[in-house]
Amino acid sequence: MRALAPLILVLALALPATAVASDDLERLTVEYAEEPLGLDVEQPRFGWRLERDTLQRAYQVQVLRSGRVVWDSGRVESRDSAQIEYGGTPLAPATEYDWRVRVWTGDERPSSWSSSDWETGLLGEAGWRGAQWIG
């Protein structure tokens, strides 16, 4: 058995590391809620959980409106998976957005995208312009 130890080590190092699947990303949230409606936060924060015993090395978040990317974090070298703040142009009031995330773990291949959505609320005074009748 002792003679096989170096061979086993070489084989283990030669095998490709298992990539994370999108199923390994769980509970995608925006401001701590799954698929919130009427969210009145101008720079929402995103979060996700990885399957147990999976160590994240980097992530990438994208926000989409009508299928077009409106913000892309790019690859961020970080183990953070909570309170990732939106950094794009101002969000439109009363609008549905999709967002997606992928992560890198031990190998250099990204996971597939995991996605979710949310809808913005009226977002400050700009969203209330048509409400002169209130008051």
Side-chain angles (χ1 to χ4, degrees):
M1 185 67 169
R2 181 176 278 184
L4 291 177
L7 178 60
I8 292 170
L9 178 61
V10 167
L11 288 174
L13 293 174
L15 294 173
T18 304
V20 145
S22 63
D23 295 348
D24 296 334
L25 294 167
E26 305 171 333
R27 198 168 186 278
L28 275 62
T29 60
V30 181
E31 289 298 316
Y32 306 101
E34 295 179 38
E35 299 181 5
L37 298 175
L39 192 63
D40 63 351
V41 177
E42 293 180 359
Q43 290 183 284
R45 295 167 293 181
F46 305 100
W48 58 91
R49 284 195 322 212
L50 287 166
E51 191 174 83
R52 179 182 240 183
D53 298 331
T54 303
L55 182 62
Q56 170 185 305
R57 296 179 64 193
Y59 68 83
Q60 181 179 10
V61 174
Q62 290 183 339
V63 173
L64 301 92
R65 179 179 176 189
S66 302
R68 297 186 64 183
V69 175
V70 296
W71 178 64
D72 186 340
S73 71
R75 179 179 165 148
V76 177
E77 299 292 327
S78 173
R79 293 183 180 175
D80 293 341
S81 61
Q83 296 189 347
I84 308 303
E85 189 171 288
Y86 173 77
T89 58
L91 299 169
T95 302
E96 184 174 327
Y97 288 91
D98 297 307
W99 77 281
R100 60 189 186 178
V101 60
R102 65 182 178 175
V103 300
W104 285 261
T105 57
D107 61 5
E108 282 302 309
R109 293 177 296 164
S111 69
S112 53
W113 292 102
S114 289
S115 60
S116 188
D117 57 57
W118 90 97
E119 185 176 310
T120 56
L122 296 179
L123 297 176
E125 291 181 27
W128 290 94
R129 283 196 193 135
Q132 291 86 359
W133 56 271
I134 298 176

